[in-house]
Amino acid sequence: MFTSITWNDYLVFILTVLFLYYTFIAVRYYKWELLALSGIQKELPNSKQLQYVDIKQQFITNSSYTDQQTISAVADNEEISEIVKAEITALFANSPETISSNILSDSLNAILSKYSSRLLQQRLDLSRFILEESGNYFPGLLSQNDVEQLWFG
């Protein structure tokens, strides 16, 4: 029996079996990755597909260094105050309902620290705004003392 099979036939058989095996594995476990190479994307049933505008807006919102340079060159103090208020409102609106006061304070501190040198004149106004907005979204989570502590660090 072994004398009727040549090395060439044996190698062709082994390569064919290996090719079929790895093709099966690729199709079975990496189907969506292979389809993504051809441009087909898997759409999950309750997922929101991000638009180009959403990604661009998210990048613009998160790029604090560029925003700070642009703002310091163009905007005056009142415009900066409005921008900070918009960021704080967006933070409250996008935060989960079960957020802790420490996490919320850290997030607010990060926003205020981006503009800290330009916001000292509007500190009282912004403190009132933060307290009102936190009362609207998370009643009783932040106290007046918590809001005052945001300015110190």
Side-chain angles (χ1 to χ4, degrees):
M1 177 173 151
F2 289 117
T3 57
S4 65
I5 300 174
T6 65
W7 281 106
N8 192 26
D9 293 338
Y10 175 74
L11 288 175
V12 168
F13 174 77
I14 293 297
L15 290 176
T16 305
V17 168
L18 285 174
F19 176 77
L20 292 174
Y21 172 75
Y22 283 111
T23 303
F24 170 77
I25 296 296
V27 169
R28 174 79 168 105
Y29 296 106
Y30 300 102
K31 175 173 59 173
W32 291 109
E33 286 83 356
L34 292 172
L35 289 173
L37 293 175
S38 66
I40 299 172
Q41 298 291 327
K42 180 179 182 181
E43 184 175 334
L44 298 175
N46 289 321
S47 68
K48 176 185 171 190
Q49 294 288 328
L50 286 178
Q51 300 289 330
Y52 169 75
V53 177
D54 294 337
I55 294 171
K56 183 178 177 184
Q57 183 62 34
Q58 183 180 11
F59 176 76
I60 290 171
T61 304
N62 291 338
S63 61
S64 63
Y65 179 73
T66 307
D67 285 346
Q68 195 170 6
Q69 281 185 332
T70 304
I71 289 169
S72 64
V74 176
D76 62 351
N77 288 339
E78 185 145 330
E79 290 173 351
I80 291 174
S81 176
E82 293 302 317
I83 291 170
V84 171
K85 287 180 180 180
E87 283 190 36
I88 290 170
T89 303
L91 171 71
F92 286 137
N94 294 322
S95 295
E97 293 178 12
T98 59
I99 193 168
S100 71
S101 63
N102 290 337
I103 295 174
L104 189 60
S105 295
D106 290 344
S107 301
L108 288 168
N109 195 8
I111 291 172
L112 294 176
S113 66
K114 287 194 299 188
Y115 310 102
S116 63
S117 62
R118 308 275 312 259
L119 292 176
L120 292 178
Q121 296 172 351
Q122 289 94 2
R123 185 176 127 188
L124 186 60
D125 180 43
L126 284 173
S127 294
R128 275 192 227 124
F129 177 78
I130 291 170
L131 198 58
E132 289 172 9
E133 287 294 306
S134 69
N136 291 341
Y137 287 96
F138 308 105
L141 189 63
L142 291 178
S143 66
Q144 178 71 30
N145 191 29
D146 294 335
V147 174
E148 287 300 319
Q149 289 299 320
L150 293 173
W151 296 98
F152 302 110

